[in-house]
Amino acid sequence: MTIDVHVAPMRPFGGPAGQDPGDQPMWSPMSSTLIAGPRNAVLVDTLVTYDQVDALADWAEGHGRHISAILITHGHSDHWIGLARLLARFPDARGLATAKVLDRARFEATDEGLQKYWHTCFPGEIPDTPVLPELLDGNTVDLDGHELRIAEIGQGDTDHSAIVHAPSIGAVAAGDICYNQVHMMTAETDAVTREAWIASLDAIAALNPTTVVAGHKRVGAPDTPDNIEKSQQYLRDFTRIVQERDTVEEIVAAMLELHGDRDNPRVLWHGAREAVAKR
């Protein structure tokens, strides 16, 4: 088996202007992973907008494999809303998700507020009627005689997150549990759930992978397992700084001193605002 990664670069989205030049509405770079056997392949996650999904489909098609499945790591819409367009390109494929991931995806597809949010972010660039994944039967997928394990790890940047583990090649597609040179989306978490997130990263590390693909990664960044520990350190630093600093601006400044080389500080500003609002 082989593993290859396609990354859609950062791009603007429709949102309110920020407090700072680094706080302008910018969507983080995103990955989709192709795990391929001699004949068949699966994709992990779908990207978001029509142009991103079309570029992903062209890239996947260029590998010359039959796309048999599209596996979804978690319920945030930017990881599955491209499913309708991918299934039109690969009609033999099935979109698949675990029960808890499917529950969150269904919620995002039907909640009026979230639908408004996504269509405001990407007007005219995502489907009005999204296609949901199907329920995965069991926790494995066969790929040309190799077992792919879909494990519900737990907390990532949202709860009930899953990974795709290809043990025969020591690879994990980690979704948004692991980040790679991109600011981490902490807005849905607090100090307690960030500890759970760190434990999720420990669970990935326990698999001893040699390749770890982050759901949000810088274009060209290597998919190395040291991003597990780097993600954990980011979360620890964020929790400590939120406890030590009073204002959004102070939290952002302190985090940028430690992690200023990461892409898309807009995500950090958003997380800092949410952390202060939760006090």
Side-chain angles (χ1 to χ4, degrees):
M1 284 202 303
T2 61
I3 185 167
D4 292 286
V5 183
H6 175 86
V7 182
M10 282 193 297
R11 54 150 289 170
F13 70 94
Q19 300 174 232
D20 179 89
D23 189 26
Q24 298 311 306
M26 187 70 63
W27 206 261
S28 292
M30 294 187 60
S31 75
S32 180
T33 301
L34 184 83
I35 305 173
R39 298 176 302 279
N40 297 292
V42 303
L43 283 167
V44 182
D45 291 340
T46 72
L47 306 182
V48 193
T49 61
Y50 294 144
D51 60 336
Q52 289 176 340
V53 176
D54 289 345
L56 170 62
D58 291 343
W59 172 83
E61 196 170 62
H63 285 74
R65 304 296 199 277
H66 175 260
I67 306 298
S68 58
I70 303 161
L71 307 175
I72 307 302
T73 61
H74 63 288
H76 282 161
S77 294
D78 54 336
H79 289 259
W80 63 265
I81 205 165
L83 194 56
R85 206 163 179 92
L86 282 178
L87 292 175
R89 287 286 295 271
F90 305 115
D92 293 337
R94 297 174 65 202
L96 297 170
T98 64
K100 290 180 180 178
V101 172
L102 177 56
D103 285 346
R104 172 62 187 241
R106 185 179 292 113
F107 170 70
E108 295 222 353
T110 56
D111 181 81
E112 184 177 341
L114 281 171
Q115 280 294 293
K116 181 179 179 180
Y117 168 77
W118 289 106
H119 283 278
T120 299
C121 289
F122 304 108
E125 296 186 277
I126 59 174
D128 290 331
T129 306
V131 170
L132 290 167
E134 302 173 40
L135 177 63
L136 174 68
D137 183 14
N139 58 5
T140 63
V141 169
D142 178 79
L143 180 60
D144 292 343
H146 295 270
E147 184 180 76
L148 302 181
R149 300 172 184 169
I150 297 84
E152 283 193 340
I153 294 290
Q155 184 70 46
D157 68 6
T158 191
D159 56 3
H160 306 310
S161 296
I163 63 169
V164 179
H165 180 209
S168 65
I169 56 172
V172 171
D176 288 0
I177 299 173
C178 189
Y179 277 62
N180 185 348
Q181 299 183 42
V182 178
H183 283 285
M184 299 180 72
M185 206 286 284
T186 61
E188 291 186 25
T189 66
D190 57 20
V192 173
T193 51
R194 283 192 291 277
E195 285 300 313
W197 190 348
I198 289 168
S200 297
L201 287 157
D202 281 335
I204 295 174
L207 300 172
N208 295 313
T210 55
T211 299
V212 177
V213 182
H216 292 285
K217 58 167 288 187
R218 177 179 291 162
V219 174
D223 301 302
T224 48
D226 61 331
N227 287 299
I228 297 171
E229 193 280 330
K230 290 177 181 177
S231 294
Q232 291 176 316
Q233 190 60 51
Y234 186 102
L235 294 170
R236 293 187 185 104
D237 288 338
F238 186 79
T239 292
R240 175 179 56 81
I241 287 168
V242 165
Q243 292 170 346
E244 294 174 349
R245 306 301 168 99
D246 294 327
T247 69
V248 170
E249 292 80 5
E250 289 172 340
I251 292 168
V252 170
M255 283 295 291
L256 288 177
E257 285 184 12
L258 299 174
H259 301 283
D261 58 341
R262 288 177 176 253
D263 284 351
N264 200 13
R266 167 73 174 208
V267 175
L268 171 58
W269 279 94
H270 178 48
R273 281 189 286 267
E274 290 298 309
V276 169
K278 289 171 184 173
R279 289 174 175 166

